[in-house]
Amino acid sequence: MHELSLAVEVIHMAEGELVPGFSLKRITLSVGMLSSVNPDSLQFCLESLLEQKGHRSVQLELNRIEALLLCRDCGIQYKTADVYEPCPGCSSFHREVLSGRDLIIDSVEMTGEE
Amino acid sequence: MTERTKKVKMLSPVMKRNNMIAVQNRKTITDSKLLCINLISSPGAGKTTLLERLAERLGGRLAVIEGDVQTSRDANRVNRAGSYAFQIETGGSCHLDAGSVSEALQEMKPFRDEWEFLVIENVGNLICPSGYFLGEHITAGMLSLPEGDDKIMKYPALFTRIDTLLLNKIDLEAQLRFDLKRAENECRSLNPDVSIYRISAETSQGLDELIRYFESERTQVYS
Ligand SMILES: Nc1nc2c(ncn2[C@@H]2O[C@H](COP(=O)(O)OP(=O)(O)OP(=O)(O)O)[C@@H](O)[C@H]2O)c(=O)[nH]1
Ligand SMILES: [Mg+2]
Ligand SMILES: [Zn+2]
């Protein structure tokens, strides 16, 4: 259940971007396939915390990001949602994970009057 | 006054703050020429038993940070076996983060000159600790034979990230249907550079080799 600590950090980071007089409207996140983050659980934690902290009707967009692998045998890079799959080029299992481990805040949107 | 919408592009990893603290931890550790190992496994795989065996062999050269959810039992076990151990009570948290390790490091000061290795026993869990870099040189994942040879692919987030795989409870090999080759091949298929040790914390099988590996890593880091 580390999603709760992640949600706390996401909101802390989003609030850090807020311009005075504006309120949070949307948070967009990329959840890497290999980040060991459960998107549903993260969404639930975010919704609960946002409400608790008085942020009303913030839209959450969580996008699952496939892992990017590099085949050590034939050298191609490929994306996959399923690490059980071998290299599509040469069927090798000899590969390296290049990305897909991170949870990233892509953007924060806010509304206000000025 | 008009209603306006602003969009801030961030592209920031949520682990950013954790990782910045981890980099500071690394500096604290490096200033004292310690080799730091983050030991991760499911509950009961044998982390503390391994640390007891290492403490018997390394004594004052080993310092340990114990991340227990509650109680200081594991720290006491390591202490009795002959090494310094500092207890972090995570108070229910399912993983250690760089901040809690940073506080522990501050409280452990001054570091003893004789310390060469710092092992952090993470909270027993194969999922949550896998995303948190603590500042360690070696991330070690332990899998014990009774857990089954299919676990590597079930927890890819951890096993793609580790530097070292410790297959523990090798003394039970004859009683279990654990295909060591399968587990090792699956781990290498996710993580081609992983180094693998078959050990028994119970019988001490493989521990001399493991200690030699830690020693040579330390020499490499500080030469
Ligand atoms: N047969 C056998 N038993 C072992 C071995 N290593 C540990 N054990 C047993 O496994 C049980 C759990 O060991 P611990 O060292 O407490 O496990 P742990 O990983 O520290 O557990 P948590 O801190 O609760 O996550 C104990 O009963 C140990 O005696 C081994 O190599 N062989
Ligand atoms: Mg333990
Ligand atoms: Zn290939």
Side-chain angles (χ1 to χ4, degrees), chain B residues 50-66:
Chain B
L50 171 63
L51 289 173
E52 290 176 305
R53 296 293 95 76
L54 293 178
E56 288 160 10
R57 284 172 169 68
L58 296 170
R61 298 164 66 198
L62 174 68
V64 170
I65 294 179
E66 281 291 346

Side-chain angles (χ1 to χ4, degrees), chain B residues 39-53 66-68 74 77 121-125 142 144 146 167-172 175 199-205:
Chain B
L39 182 56
I40 301 173
S41 80
S42 56
K47 298 180 294 299
T48 311
T49 311
L50 171 63
L51 289 173
E52 290 176 305
R53 296 293 95 76
E66 281 291 346
D68 247 2
D74 285 359
R77 283 169 59 188
E121 179 178 338
N122 218 310
V123 181
N125 186 326
M142 177 188 272
S144 66
L167 291 167
N168 190 34
K169 309 197 185 179
I170 197 83
D171 56 293
L172 301 176
Q175 285 94 298
I199 60 168
S200 166
E202 185 66 30
T203 67
S204 297
Q205 187 185 332

Side-chain angles (χ1 to χ4, degrees), chain B residues 66 68-80 86-89:
Chain B
E66 281 291 346
D68 247 2
V69 174
Q70 242 136 43
T71 81
S72 46
R73 276 192 195 159
D74 285 359
N76 294 339
R77 283 169 59 188
V78 174
N79 231 267
R80 276 199 301 274
F86 184 90
Q87 179 74 43
I88 301 178
E89 272 188 42

